[in-house]
Amino acid sequence: MRIDIITVLPELIQGFMQESIVGRAQKKGLVEIYIHNLRDYTLDKWRRVDDYPFGGFAGMVMQCEPIDRCISTLKAERHYDQIIFTTPDGEQFNQPMANSLSLCENIIILCGHYKGIDYRVREHLITKEVSIGDYVLTGGELAAAVMADAIVRILPGAIGDEQSALSDSFQDKLLAAPVYTRPAEYKGWKVPEVLLSGNERLIKEWELQQSLERTQRLRPDLLSDDATIDSKKEYKRK
Ligand code: ADE
């Protein structure tokens, strides 16, 4: 997979992309991540990529030309499955979207900034608009980093134990069960007895019951979904 990120603040995401699972996935050759400085694509002698909005509104707006030049350069070299724009008024990013984007061959993520971008970019170049939550960030860089992390960590081979990505919270629309490690007792705080029992069936049952209880308590909205109910039935049949 290849992810191209277009930004006016490359330094903000560069470090993040070199660390942890995303960094290791690149070293393993599972993903290539390229960060492009939008200012390298402007024809302006001051390297400006924004201008005042028509209509006398407040703030600055990112111009069409540098974005179009950057995206066109990339598209001339390969096909992109999605050209994504990060924006608070986009479709809400979630686990199913991360799963589906992780199946793409090549994607571009354009990070929004300032007051916005010239709407013609959204109409003519962007194929998907994504928000990471109902709040406004200074720019789309953190949103791009969040998306890249969620996408890359589920690529086969990115996490040592693949099962652990599948058992993440939200993968089956349930929150994950609690996890514990040694020692079995610390300051009198005990690990649930069943986890020490070695009985795989009881442990699996405990895990599901914990998942359901936590989801019911913390995210009841997830349980109203048909897919969750189906996954519970499926589990009980096994
Ligand atoms: N840019 C600013 N706020 C954002 C958000 N919530 N999601 C995605 N991009 C953004």
Side-chain angles (χ1 to χ4, degrees):
M1 180 180 194
R2 175 179 169 128
I3 304 176
D4 289 274
I5 300 176
I6 306 171
T7 168
V8 285
L9 295 173
E11 307 80 29
L12 198 63
I13 17 186
Q14 211 101 48
F16 175 83
M17 295 300 168
Q18 265 136 43
E19 298 297 326
S20 187
I21 288 170
V22 176
R24 260 179 281 141
Q26 288 174 88
K27 288 192 193 106
K28 285 188 201 167
L30 303 175
V31 62
E32 291 171 56
I33 299 178
Y34 297 92
I35 298 167
H36 307 277
N37 188 342
L38 189 61
R39 292 186 200 283
D40 294 341
Y41 294 86
T42 176
L43 298 174
D44 183 80
K45 65 175 171 184
W46 307 110
R47 283 167 61 80
R48 268 188 310 226
V49 291
D50 60 340
D51 208 335
Y52 293 98
F54 284 123
F57 302 111
M60 301 295 274
V61 175
M62 283 163 79
Q63 294 170 290
C64 288
E65 190 179 51
I67 298 172
D68 184 32
R69 280 166 50 86
C70 182
I71 291 179
S72 300
T73 305
L74 293 171
K75 276 167 72 174
E77 282 164 29
R78 67 197 63 77
H79 167 77
Y80 284 91
D81 305 292
Q82 291 287 4
I83 302 177
I84 297 164
F85 174 53
T86 58
T87 174
D89 57 4
E91 187 186 338
Q92 171 83 52
F93 187 63
N94 56 17
Q95 192 62 54
M97 197 194 291
N99 294 350
S100 135
L101 289 172
S102 78
L103 301 174
C104 292
E105 201 64 50
N106 304 307
I107 62 171
I108 293 175
I109 305 178
L110 169 65
C111 303
H113 235 267
Y114 312 113
K115 183 83 180 150
I117 59 170
D118 191 309
Y119 204 74
R120 290 167 292 184
V121 168
R122 297 170 70 163
E123 286 174 324
H124 298 284
L125 298 174
I126 298 300
T127 62
K128 195 174 183 67
E129 301 187 328
V130 180
S131 163
I132 59 160
D134 287 344
Y135 39 79
V136 180
L137 301 165
T138 318
E141 283 73 18
L142 292 177
V146 164
M147 291 175 65
D149 188 284
I151 292 167
V152 170
R153 66 187 299 285
I154 50 177
L155 292 175
I159 295 185
D161 173 6
E162 271 177 45
Q163 207 47 45
S164 83
L166 294 177
S167 62
D168 284 340
S169 284
F170 302 111
Q171 268 306 4
D172 53 7
K173 301 218 173 169
L174 289 175
L175 301 186
V179 290
Y180 302 86
T181 187
R182 285 183 291 188
E185 184 170 342
Y186 174 74
K187 286 182 164 178
W189 308 339
K190 289 189 179 143
V191 167
E193 205 65 47
V194 60
L195 296 180
L196 311 174
S197 70
N199 185 325
E200 218 172 296
R201 187 182 58 82
L202 285 182
I203 293 173
K204 279 261 166 269
E205 270 173 26
W206 175 88
E207 190 185 18
L208 178 66
Q209 174 253 315
Q210 289 288 319
S211 275
L212 289 169
E213 187 277 318
R214 294 189 74 239
T215 312
Q216 183 71 59
R217 183 163 46 88
L218 303 168
R219 292 292 306 274
D221 54 304
L222 294 175
L223 286 171
S224 58
D225 193 292
D226 286 350
T228 312
I229 293 159
D230 286 349
S231 86
K232 281 186 294 181
K233 282 189 196 141
E234 185 59 32
Y235 179 84
K236 281 191 182 134
R237 242 180 268 134
K238 278 183 200 159

